[in-house]
Amino acid sequence: MNYQRFFEEAIDQLHAERRYRVFADLERIVGAFPRAIWRAEGEAREITVWCSNDYLGMGQHADVIAAAQATVSSMGSGAGGTRNISGTNHPLVELERELADLHGKEAGLVFTSGFVSNEAAISTIARLLPNCLILSDELNHASMIEGVRRSGAEKKVFRHNDLAHLESLLAQAGRERAKLIVFESVYSMDGDIAPIAEIADLADKYNAMTYIDEVHAVGMYGAHGGGITEREGLAHRIDVIEGTLAKAFGTLGGYIAGKREVIDAVRSYAPGFIFTTALPPMIAAAATASIRHLKVSQSERDAQQRQAQHTKDVLSAADLPVMASQTHIVPILVGDPELCKMASDRLLARHGIYIQPINYPTVPRGTERLRVTPTPFHDDALIETLKEALVETWAALGIPFESQRKPSVAARSDRIVPLTVPKAGG
Ligand SMILES: *Cc1c(COP(=O)(O)O)cnc(C)c1O
């Protein structure tokens, strides 16, 4: 066996399918968000990032930086061990209390990432429950799918946000069988929101447990940043709320919050929690500072919503195919993997605008897109510059504008934005 050849072929296949990923070498600049330095071919250029998941710019907030600096100075860089072996540092204990309070739950548990929290918590809960059936939304994130797989439990996938389909699967299983419904609040590629109240109703009716991923909502929705479940007054109706500290909170780590016994069971049984070094105290302290700030400050949330809406309005008015979205996420349909990659490359090289292409398998084939995430720091002037760059790119590459699209191409995106100002054809 020629091992090297085998790996070459694996990579060649990705190239052939236009799925090979190239990372941009970036350096963020504190105080100049969303500007960053981009290094390529021996050159360094300043560019604007339009696809950051540091949704509120909290990664550069003065309180967050100060907390990290003070804690690294007083406690050093690393945790020094797993949670069980001297790694349970005091800032981590405080962070878990803060998270439980954020979601109105009895307990919280922090993991080294959101990915690990989903993988570890879902697999452990479903493995502990006897003969558990997992009901999983078809658009769930890879980390949740990994948790479902690892549990070894039987799984049934329900069509995205389809309550009738979910109910039929629950009814088939019956009230007696253990059941875990896993879903997200905000789906990050389309920006749509799950019918959480109705899913909780079904869970009550059929006696199922509920597990929600609020990764793209925590910090950004609800009066204290407790996510969509807080905004809709539903946190108490969901058994386990999962979130990340790495997106709107601007740091690193993931967590779950729920009833004391569930959290304690995951703490006690999940290998992905037990056998890995704890988060560094400086990260835990920075995350707590960020959560505390966003619990009392509404201005970042308001500004993000305002700039996201303005971005949708401006791009739609320029005849760009903005896909329907109920949230801060602004997907723009390209519909072809090659063009999507070319558009991203052109935006960066020619316009100094960084928007990473989103291709299969992250989204279905034919719905390849650019996913724009406006933050409070993307002001009206930056939005105007973005629009001009996108229009130039669409025209230069012959990507269909909204008015040129065949109706069927819009696939799953039910458009809601009426378009009145056709402009700059291809
Ligand atoms: C990013 C993401 C995660 C993983 O969170 P990390 O903290 O980045 O590991 C989990 N779920 C969803 C839906 C995500 O988009």
Side-chain angles (χ1 to χ4, degrees):
M1 165 149 233
N2 182 338
Y3 290 103
Q4 188 175 336
R5 176 94 186 281
F6 182 83
F7 292 111
E8 268 170 22
E9 280 171 8
I11 294 299
D12 286 348
Q13 186 170 344
L14 292 179
H15 280 296
E17 293 175 15
R18 303 288 174 250
R19 286 170 50 197
Y20 183 74
R21 293 169 198 252
V22 179
F23 300 155
D25 176 351
L26 301 175
E27 182 180 326
R28 303 207 293 163
I29 310 162
V30 169
F33 193 101
R35 303 287 285 169
I37 296 161
W38 171 52
R39 288 191 173 79
E41 289 154 14
E43 263 184 78
R45 272 178 65 190
E46 217 180 292
I47 53 119
T48 303
V49 178
W50 268 100
C51 59
S52 177
N53 281 338
D54 188 353
Y55 287 125
L56 301 175
M58 290 303 289
Q60 301 185 12
H61 193 280
D63 292 358
V64 177
I65 293 172
Q69 284 174 335
T71 311
V72 72
S73 296
S74 62
M75 299 185 204
S77 61
T82 66
R83 292 294 298 271
N84 193 39
I85 306 176
S86 83
T88 299
N89 53 82
H90 186 61
L92 202 38
V93 175
E94 282 189 311
L95 172 59
E96 287 178 340
R97 276 197 209 120
E98 198 66 47
L99 289 165
D101 177 74
L102 177 66
H103 294 292
K105 297 290 185 190
E106 290 173 3
L109 191 68
V110 167
F111 301 78
T112 46
S113 75
F115 188 101
V116 171
S117 65
N118 273 332
E119 190 262 348
I122 294 172
S123 65
T124 302
I125 291 167
R127 194 157 40 82
L128 288 174
L129 291 169
N131 188 31
C132 181
L133 173 69
I134 300 179
L135 301 140
S136 176
D137 188 285
E138 70 175 324
L139 291 192
N140 277 343
H141 188 257
S143 56
M144 303 168 83
I145 295 168
E146 211 49 48
V148 171
R149 272 209 200 110
R150 232 164 207 279
S151 73
E154 186 188 352
K155 109 183 142 178
K156 292 204 164 134
V157 174
F158 59 95
R159 285 188 295 275
H160 180 54
N161 285 345
D162 187 333
L163 293 164
H165 191 207
L166 173 59
E167 176 153 23
S168 76
L169 297 173
L170 285 164
Q172 272 169 35
R175 265 190 70 86
E176 290 314 309
R177 184 169 181 190
K179 295 170 294 303
L180 179 68
I181 306 172
V182 295
F183 64 113
E184 301 181 23
S185 60
V186 173
Y187 286 85
S188 69
M189 293 302 148
D190 295 277
D192 58 336
I193 297 176
I196 303 171
E198 290 80 359
I199 290 176
D201 288 344
L202 287 177
D204 286 348
K205 184 170 171 192
Y206 294 96
N207 191 28
M209 258 185 92
T210 45
Y211 181 107
I212 195 168
D213 175 316
E214 284 251 51
V215 159
H216 292 278
V218 290
M220 293 173 278
Y221 296 89
H224 305 90
I228 302 288
T229 49
E230 185 192 16
R231 185 183 79 179
E232 297 180 6
L234 295 168
H236 67 287
R237 300 200 56 202
I238 301 295
D239 292 300
V240 179
I241 297 177
E242 185 270 346
T244 185
L245 304 168
K247 289 173 184 168
F249 292 127
T251 60
L252 182 71
Y255 66 90
I256 56 171
K259 283 223 161 56
R260 197 173 308 285
E261 301 74 25
V262 178
I263 301 304
D264 202 17
V266 175
R267 184 187 73 88
S268 307
Y269 282 97
F273 174 81
I274 298 170
F275 298 105
T276 189
T277 299
L279 272 193
M282 62 173 160
I283 299 294
T288 300
S290 181
I291 296 164
R292 283 186 183 154
H293 177 84
L294 290 175
K295 266 184 182 170
V296 294
S297 174
Q298 184 64 28
S299 63
E300 290 84 3
R301 283 188 279 277
D302 288 345
Q304 184 201 28
Q305 289 299 318
R306 192 172 61 240
Q307 295 315 99
Q309 188 56 51
H310 189 57
T311 304
K312 290 177 191 176
D313 293 344
V314 166
L315 300 188
S316 294
D319 199 24
L320 288 157
V322 177
M323 297 166 75
S325 158
Q326 299 165 264
T327 59
H328 57 280
I329 292 157
V330 185
I332 308 160
L333 184 63
V334 178
D336 176 272
E338 186 73 33
L339 285 175
C340 199
K341 173 85 174 66
M342 285 168 70
S344 173
D345 289 348
R346 187 180 183 96
L347 285 166
L348 187 53
R350 203 178 167 103
H351 299 281
I353 285 176
Y354 176 49
I355 311 172
Q356 172 241 351
I358 310 271
N359 284 348
Y360 176 85
T362 308
V363 295
R365 292 187 208 273
T367 71
E368 292 83 0
R369 67 196 67 175
L370 298 179
R371 175 181 176 272
V372 169
T373 52
T375 72
F377 297 94
H378 291 86
D379 62 19
D380 293 0
L382 284 179
I383 293 170
E384 200 58 31
T385 308
L386 171 71
K387 177 201 77 181
E388 278 158 23
L390 286 170
V391 167
E392 189 281 331
T393 300
W394 251 241
L397 299 180
I399 303 171
F401 283 81
E402 177 61 26
S403 58
Q404 301 165 332
R405 281 201 172 271
K406 295 173 208 83
S408 61
V409 183
R412 297 180 39 251
S413 67
D414 310 308
R415 295 195 36 82
I416 47 168
V417 187
L419 294 166
T420 46
V421 193
K423 218 183 122 182

